[in-house]
Amino acid sequence: MAGKFAFLKEEFLIDGKWGGIDLDASMRHLQAGIGSGGSTISEAAFAALGATSVILTPVIAEQCDAIRVEFETEEGLWTATLELAAQQVAFLNKSTGEVEELPVRPEAGERAAGCFSLARMGIPAMETPRGNVTIDTVLVLVYLQQHHAGRDTFGSVSVADMNLTLEVCFGVLSEETARLKAQARAARSRATRDATAVRKAVEQRQKYGLPTSFDLDMEQERYAKAVDEHAAELLRLAQEIEQHQGVLTGRDAEAARGLQAVSSAATAADRAHQALASMYERRGLARQRLAAAEEAARPRTHCPECAQSLEARSGEGPLCPVCRQPDPGLPTRQAQRAQEQARAGEAALAADAELRDAQRIAHKVVDARRKTEQDAQRLAGRAAAYRAQEIAPREAARARARAAESDARARLEAVKARRQELAQIAELEKNAAASSLRADDAEKAWTAAEGDAQEHRQQTAKQLSQIFADIAIPMAPDKIRNAVIDPKTLAPKINNRSLKQLARSAGLVSIAHTAYHLMALEAARSMPLVLLPRCQWLDAPLDGLGGGPEGERLANGPGLGRGGW
């Protein structure tokens, strides 16, 4: 039986001042319905004990700096002060002066305020592989929240945690047997996982035709030999390509020199043609001077002024002012003009000779450029032919050898992986056998520890069913034919239907919740093995949770108009 636990006082720190309500009474009634102070007061009280599932109303969250509750246990009077900002709870034993400061949501390895509060209630805070007993799971047995009255089976906690809490709190399992049961289930689960892993590994191996270790070793040897052969072939081809690459490098150098010679010859040809242009210009000027000298050397037969014949000197009209007198210096000028004509003719002949020589040189330079281009093309073709004949086939062979080596290595790795799978299968089979043995040992330990637990579970379920039926049936005798507690789940059933099956009848769900909580209170008072505090806090149920007039009538039936603790 759980130890003594009773709320005495609740206070709120607002603007630096404490103020609250006195809870020191055997029974206190609160007005039922939405908007009552029941939820605000009760949720704040359990939050001060370290509960995390309750949601404080904005009235408290926005206005209060801290919440303090005073409660009494067999150890004496206690106060629990929750600092909302820091989320720390300070416990003070007024009788002994003991002080504990614990976080609401602890980090790894820290003790939680809720665990400390559970210990004050006389309930073990358990953590097993199959569930946890926390203040939030116990809270849904000692406090019926309005907004959970018809929505969830037992509040917003996990099924595994709730099942373990019910079994421990109703005395079906002791702390040691609960741990053994959880260990047995966890060991069996591990054994199942290991067996599944072995089965999947064997199925995967069957896809390869179930090769033996000898077969895999032979394949590994064959592929390793193939890898070595391809690697040797790659080395040989690399050496040959390197040798021929040296020859090709020389030929490429010759081709490059040929291209350079072509460039030089082209430059020389351009210069020769540029020189021809100036010579053509000089020859033209020489010919112009020769024509002028020849023109000057010819004897004058007509007057430059009147264009009449100088020999006739006849005709009518005035005398020409230029030729009316004889010219005694004419022979001298004629001789001089003849000399100038001769020199111009020699210059013209020299310009023609120089131009012919330059043209011959230009033709030779062009011929040299053409020959150089032919040589460069021949050298380039020679290098390309050598590459196509000697290097390209070896490069293709090297690419094929590299691909074959990669394929052989991939096959070798696949064989190694399958070879490793055999070892893994053996290891998995060993682990599966060990897991199965541990699971059998854990089940034996659980079976030995359980003893007459099944009979005790049946007897406990019967006693709880009697209490539950005495509370639930009078609430709606025209609707409820029978009400029992399922011995497997310790969950309520009305008319042989679970709460999930009763979801369409909001009134019956509300009645089932309220009766279940009252049953837990009566069991804590009358059944020695039940680990629950002999107190209960019930918020007034809602008006049928949308169930209409019938739901409202059922929710407000006898015994449901008020809540208390």
Side-chain angles (χ1 to χ4, degrees):
M1 180 177 292
K4 178 182 179 182
F5 185 90
F7 284 109
L8 300 179
K9 190 176 183 181
E10 184 172 3
E11 295 178 289
F12 303 95
L13 181 61
I14 302 176
D15 296 332
K17 296 182 180 180
W18 287 99
I21 59 175
D22 185 12
L23 305 179
D24 186 11
S26 58
M27 179 65 68
R28 182 176 181 85
H29 295 286
L30 298 173
Q31 180 65 37
I34 300 175
S36 70
S39 296
T40 302
I41 297 172
S42 56
E43 290 176 3
F46 287 110
L49 296 180
T52 60
S53 61
V54 295
I55 300 176
L56 297 177
T57 59
V59 174
I60 294 178
E62 296 174 2
Q63 298 183 14
C64 299
D65 297 325
I67 304 171
R68 182 168 63 193
V69 294
E70 182 177 324
F71 58 92
E72 183 179 7
T73 68
E74 293 179 350
E75 300 169 344
L77 295 176
W78 290 84
T79 60
T81 305
L82 168 65
E83 295 183 10
L84 294 178
Q87 287 295 293
Q88 291 276 340
V89 179
F91 293 93
L92 170 63
N93 189 326
K94 291 185 175 182
S95 303
T96 63
E98 177 186 354
V99 177
E100 286 282 349
E101 292 186 1
L102 300 171
V104 175
R105 299 181 184 274
E107 300 292 337
E110 291 183 305
R111 190 181 183 187
C115 294
F116 189 84
S117 297
L118 277 186
R120 306 288 75 76
M121 295 180 184
I123 301 173
M126 296 177 55
E127 294 183 5
T128 72
R130 303 295 296 182
N132 301 324
V133 178
T134 64
I135 189 173
D136 293 288
T137 59
V138 174
L139 180 63
V140 296
L141 293 176
V142 298
Y143 169 47
L144 175 62
Q145 305 176 58
Q146 283 188 1
H147 59 285
H148 283 165
R151 185 182 64 189
D152 300 322
T153 304
F154 292 112
S156 55
V157 296
S158 68
V159 176
D161 291 352
M162 198 66 242
N163 289 341
L164 178 63
T165 301
L166 294 177
E167 291 178 336
V168 171
C169 289
F170 285 130
V172 175
L173 291 180
S174 65
E175 185 174 356
E176 180 62 23
T177 54
R179 293 188 184 278
L180 289 176
K181 180 180 179 181
Q183 291 173 1
R185 290 183 177 179
R188 179 54 61 190
S189 178
R190 284 194 297 270
T192 302
R193 288 198 301 270
D194 291 341
T196 302
V198 171
R199 177 178 57 79
K200 290 184 177 180
V202 171
E203 290 176 355
Q204 181 68 23
R205 183 168 169 258
Q206 287 176 349
K207 295 180 180 179
Y208 306 128
L210 294 175
T212 63
S213 58
F214 176 77
D215 296 334
L216 295 176
D217 290 340
M218 293 300 294
E219 286 188 14
Q220 183 173 345
E221 182 179 357
R222 183 170 70 255
Y223 289 128
K225 183 178 179 181
V227 169
D228 294 339
E229 290 177 354
H230 292 306
E233 179 69 11
L234 281 174
L235 180 60
R236 183 185 65 80
L237 290 172
Q239 292 175 351
E240 292 182 359
I241 290 174
E242 184 178 1
Q243 294 174 358
H244 291 288
Q245 192 69 39
V247 177
L248 180 62
T249 302
R251 297 193 176 186
D252 286 339
E254 291 179 354
R257 288 193 295 270
L259 291 176
Q260 187 176 3
V262 170
S263 178
S264 300
T267 303
D270 291 340
R271 290 176 181 173
H273 282 88
Q274 291 175 0
L276 284 177
S278 62
M279 290 180 182
Y280 276 115
E281 185 177 357
R282 286 199 297 272
R283 187 184 69 171
L285 292 175
R287 287 182 176 181
Q288 288 179 0
R289 286 195 295 271
L290 176 61
E294 289 177 349
E295 180 67 23
R298 291 191 190 97
R300 295 290 185 268
T301 59
H302 291 77
C303 177
E305 180 67 21
C306 62
Q308 295 183 76
S309 174
L310 296 177
E311 296 178 355
R313 292 180 182 262
S314 63
E316 297 179 357
L319 296 176
C320 176
V322 177
C323 59
R324 65 176 51 183
Q325 295 181 0
D327 186 5
L330 179 61
T332 303
R333 289 196 302 276
Q334 289 294 338
Q336 186 179 359
R337 289 172 181 171
Q339 291 177 0
E340 290 178 358
Q341 180 181 0
R343 287 195 297 270
E346 293 175 358
L349 291 176
D352 289 340
E354 186 181 4
L355 178 60
R356 285 193 297 271
D357 294 339
Q359 286 177 340
R360 284 194 298 271
I361 293 172
H363 285 307
K364 290 180 180 180
V365 172
V366 171
D367 292 340
R369 184 185 67 179
R370 290 174 180 173
K371 184 177 182 303
T372 305
E373 290 177 348
Q374 292 174 356
D375 293 341
Q377 291 176 356
R378 179 179 58 80
L379 291 175
R382 184 166 171 247
Y386 189 84
R387 178 187 297 276
Q389 182 179 358
E390 300 295 341
I391 295 180
R394 288 178 173 82
E395 288 181 343
R398 182 173 63 177
R400 291 192 297 271
R402 186 178 289 113
E405 182 192 19
S406 299
D407 181 68
R409 287 189 183 277
R411 292 178 182 272
L412 178 61
E413 294 300 323
V415 171
K416 287 182 179 180
R418 291 198 295 271
R419 186 69 178 83
Q420 189 176 2
E421 284 178 1
L422 287 179
Q424 291 177 349
I425 289 175
E427 185 67 22
L428 289 174
E429 290 176 346
K430 180 180 178 181
N431 293 338
S435 298
S436 179
L437 181 61
R438 287 195 295 269
D440 294 340
D441 293 340
E443 287 181 354
K444 289 179 181 179
W446 155 242
T447 303
E450 184 182 27
D452 58 349
Q454 293 299 328
E455 180 64 26
H456 175 59
R457 178 185 288 268
Q458 295 291 337
Q459 293 298 326
T460 301
K462 288 182 179 180
Q463 295 178 23
L464 294 176
S465 297
Q466 184 62 46
I467 298 173
F468 182 66
D470 292 344
I471 296 174
I473 293 177
M475 292 182 181
D478 57 332
K479 296 292 184 180
I480 302 176
R481 297 184 301 275
N482 59 73
V484 298
I485 300 299
D486 188 350
K488 293 183 179 181
T489 62
L490 298 180
K493 282 188 174 183
I494 292 180
N495 298 334
N496 295 325
R497 300 169 68 188
S498 64
L499 291 184
K500 183 180 294 186
Q501 295 170 335
L502 293 174
R504 294 183 179 180
S505 178
L508 288 179
V509 172
S510 180
I511 288 175
H513 275 278
T514 306
Y516 193 85
H517 281 74
L518 293 176
M519 176 207 71
L521 173 62
E522 182 61 28
R525 296 183 178 186
S526 61
M527 298 175 64
L529 297 180
V530 174
L531 298 180
L532 283 174
R534 284 169 287 179
C535 68
Q536 190 75 212
W537 200 317
L538 300 179
D539 274 356
L542 304 182
D543 56 348
L545 297 171
E550 181 182 2
E552 183 177 359
R553 180 179 61 82
L554 293 174
N556 294 325
L560 293 181
R562 296 288 186 268
W565 62 90

